[in-house]
């Protein structure tokens, strides 16, 4: 988004836990959690494919013997939790195949600490983090509302089967901005899988009250455009309607297009992979900058080389909204997380725990920190130190 423009429309989308790509993400992160529960130092790079009554896992792992053999039960339990008991995709009946194998020794050599060598980054790449004061969660409003719509509808679906809603769904919110702030909903799009016999008008009647509860008061007006199940029918859905793959919803997972993305997916990766851990660190630092009142918006980029511990670059952009010099933040912020090395990030945020399956749907950011260490990157515990530094 161009910060120099005062008035504009902006759109973000989200997808539900039952979207086929999110089913794949949930399975891959279930694998990560299984390995980290058995060994906090385990290594996982798991990709999942789901399609009509078929589940396929592939990738590389390093961890205790026996974990792979326990995965099928955990994977089927995850699919059952989402709610798939359909003819074309059933948690109990879908064919399951696992092709996980041992991690490459060449990759392990570059990542592992040895002698005077600290743990290196699991891959080269660039990672971004972003925060904005548009919402209490310090997230882009268009994405936060898109997530929230699907979360409340999923809760309703789990609690009341008589509604006729099924697991697969997508939302999209377009907001009108004036003076850089969201003021009204220009359009709302929702497509949700449903039981046979329900019309788009039936679905609209079911979902509209939930959507209105999510959006701020007076955001929906007479000019708001509604598109509820615009194709007319959405009975066949989930992996039976479309193939799902791990890592295909990276913009949904992050900032809804309001900020750059380095290109790496999160799900299925243990925290030595900087695609995941450094992106979490970037969000953590950006959120604390905005929470401290040092800027209305903040974007942070970190660059890494595989096998090298220290970042190649650390960049801060305050989008002309800052009260401080970004160059000073570039000097201060990495030191607040031990130099932003992969090991320091993992230790500071406590990432070597089985906390990842819960991240697979409704965004990795803008969530409340959990007591067991989940979403630790959403804490704002650096605020006082940042204020003191300036």
């Amino acid at each position: 988004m161009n910060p120099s423009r005062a008035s504009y429309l902006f759109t973000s989308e989200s997808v539900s836990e039952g979207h086929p790509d999110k089913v794949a993400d949930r399975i891959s992160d279930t694998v990560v959690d299984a390995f980290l529960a058995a060994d906090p130092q385990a290594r996982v790079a798991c990709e999942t494919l789901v399609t009509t009554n078929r589940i396929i896992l592939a990738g590389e792992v390093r961890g205790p013997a026996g974990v792979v053999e326990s995965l099928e039960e955990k994977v089927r339990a995850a699919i059952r939790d989402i709610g798939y008991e359909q003819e074309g995709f059933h948690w109990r009946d879908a064919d399951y195949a696992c092709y996980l194998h041992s991690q490459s020794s060449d990759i392990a050599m570059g990542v592992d600490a040895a002698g005077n060598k600290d743990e290196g980054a699991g891959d080269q790449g660039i990672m971004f983090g972003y925060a904005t004061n548009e919402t209490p969660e310090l997230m882009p409003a268009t994405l936060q509302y898109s997530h929230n719509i699907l979360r409340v509808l999923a809760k309703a679906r789990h609690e009341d089967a008589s509604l006729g809603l099924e697991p697969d769904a997508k939302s999209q919110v377009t907001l009108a901005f004036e003076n850089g702030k969201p003021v009204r909903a220009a359009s709302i799009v929702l497509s949700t899988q449903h039981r046979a016999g329900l019309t788009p008008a039936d679905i609209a009647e079911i979902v509209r009250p939930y959507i209105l509860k999510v959006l701020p008061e007076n955001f929906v007006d007479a000019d708001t455009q509604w598109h509820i199940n615009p194709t007319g029918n959405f009975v066949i859905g989930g992996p039976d309607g479309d193939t799902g793959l791990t890592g295909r919803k990276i913009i949904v997972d992050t900032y809804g297009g309001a900020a750059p993305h380095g290109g790496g997916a999160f799900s299925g990766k243990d925290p030595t992979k900087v695609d995941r851990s450094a992106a979490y660190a970037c969000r953590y630092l950006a959120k604390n900058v905005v929470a401290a009142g040092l800027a209305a918006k903040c974007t942070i980029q970190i660059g890494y080389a595989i096998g090298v511990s220290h970042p190649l670059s650390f960049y801060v952009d305050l989008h002309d909204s800052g009260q401080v010099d970004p160059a000073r933040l570039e000097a201060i912020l990495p030191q607040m997380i031990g130099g932003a090395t992969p090991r320091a990030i993992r230790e500071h945020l406590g990432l070597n725990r089985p906390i990842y399956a819960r991240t697979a749907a409704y965004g990795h950011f803008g969530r409340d920190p959990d007591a067991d260490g989940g979403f630790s990157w959403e804490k704002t515990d650096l605020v006082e130190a940042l204020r003191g530094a300036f």
Side-chain angles (χ1 to χ4, degrees):
M1 289 183 288
N2 184 346
S4 66
R5 291 189 59 192
S7 301
Y8 51 90
L9 300 179
F10 194 76
T11 304
S12 295
E13 69 158 349
S14 183
V15 297
S16 73
E17 65 197 53
H19 185 282
D21 292 332
K22 283 288 139 202
V23 175
D25 284 346
R26 172 72 175 270
I27 292 170
S28 292
D29 275 337
T30 295
V31 173
V32 173
D33 283 355
F35 272 92
L36 292 179
D39 177 5
Q41 305 304 319
R43 300 284 171 79
V44 183
C46 175
E47 309 292 344
T48 301
L49 179 149
V50 289
T51 187
T52 302
N53 274 329
R54 190 172 296 275
I55 308 156
I56 300 173
L57 277 61
E60 54 181 32
V61 297
R62 187 176 78 187
V67 176
V68 171
E69 287 71 21
S70 72
L71 290 177
E72 181 175 355
E73 180 182 357
K74 292 179 171 65
V75 167
R76 293 190 186 279
I79 296 170
R80 179 174 57 187
D81 184 60
I82 293 169
Y84 276 113
E85 296 184 343
Q86 301 171 359
E87 182 179 353
F89 193 72
H90 197 295
W91 65 268
R92 184 187 60 234
D93 302 330
D95 292 335
Y96 170 87
C98 179
Y99 298 102
L100 295 170
H101 59 82
S102 296
Q103 183 185 46
S104 159
S105 59
D106 289 346
I107 293 176
M109 178 176 63
V111 176
D112 291 344
N116 293 325
K117 174 185 174 297
D118 193 7
E119 175 185 301
D123 201 352
Q124 70 175 46
I126 55 174
M127 292 80 206
F128 287 93
Y130 179 69
T132 171
N133 62 7
E134 289 176 11
T135 62
E137 297 88 355
L138 303 184
M139 287 288 288
T142 48
L143 179 64
Q144 194 65 46
Y145 300 145
S146 295
H147 283 328
N148 291 350
I149 287 169
L150 294 180
R151 291 183 76 178
V152 300
L153 288 174
K155 184 174 186 291
R157 171 176 62 84
H158 284 295
E159 293 177 349
D160 186 359
S162 69
L163 290 174
L165 301 179
E166 298 289 349
D168 194 359
K170 300 179 78 171
S171 64
Q172 186 170 283
V173 174
T174 300
L175 297 181
F177 286 72
E178 294 180 5
N179 298 317
K181 298 293 183 183
V183 295
R184 59 176 294 272
S187 66
I188 299 164
V189 182
L190 179 80
S191 297
T192 181
Q193 187 185 16
H194 58 86
R195 70 169 179 239
L198 293 175
T199 67
D202 296 329
I203 299 299
E205 184 177 354
I206 293 167
V207 304
R208 187 181 175 102
Y210 294 99
I211 294 173
L212 291 174
K213 287 180 181 179
V214 164
L215 295 171
E217 189 176 1
N218 300 322
F219 260 47
V220 176
D221 57 28
D223 294 324
T224 301
Q225 298 180 31
W226 291 77
H227 301 282
I228 307 298
N229 277 22
T231 62
N233 206 42
F234 191 0
V235 174
I236 301 171
D240 187 30
D242 191 10
T243 299
L245 294 170
T246 302
R248 285 206 298 195
K249 288 293 177 284
I250 58 176
I251 301 304
V252 170
D253 286 344
T254 53
Y255 307 105
H261 193 295
F266 302 156
S267 291
K269 297 175 181 176
D270 74 79
T272 66
K273 278 71 170 175
V274 285
D275 279 348
R276 180 169 223 157
S277 56
Y280 289 174
C282 287
R283 162 64 180 175
Y284 172 63
L285 295 175
K287 184 177 183 180
N288 275 271
V289 167
V290 174
L294 304 184
K297 297 180 181 181
C298 179
T299 297
I300 292 175
Q301 185 212 55
I302 306 180
Y304 290 92
I306 188 168
V308 179
S309 60
H310 285 278
L312 305 181
S313 63
F314 190 99
Y315 170 73
V316 176
D317 182 358
L318 301 181
H319 303 273
D320 297 324
S321 71
Q323 310 300 314
V324 297
D325 181 1
R328 283 201 64 200
L329 284 171
E330 290 168 355
I332 292 170
L333 290 173
Q335 302 314 310
M336 289 184 159
I337 53 170
T341 67
R343 182 201 297 272
I345 289 170
R346 288 191 298 105
E347 293 177 350
H348 186 95
L349 295 177
L351 298 181
N352 285 91
R353 298 186 245 192
I355 55 174
Y356 296 106
R358 71 193 74 172
T359 69
Y362 314 118
H364 292 243
F365 309 129
R367 311 283 288 270
D368 292 330
D370 293 326
D372 66 351
F375 300 105
S376 60
W377 49 93
E378 291 296 308
K379 295 186 295 184
T380 52
D381 53 353
L382 301 180
V383 164
E384 292 307 315
L386 280 169
R387 287 174 176 163
F390 289 94

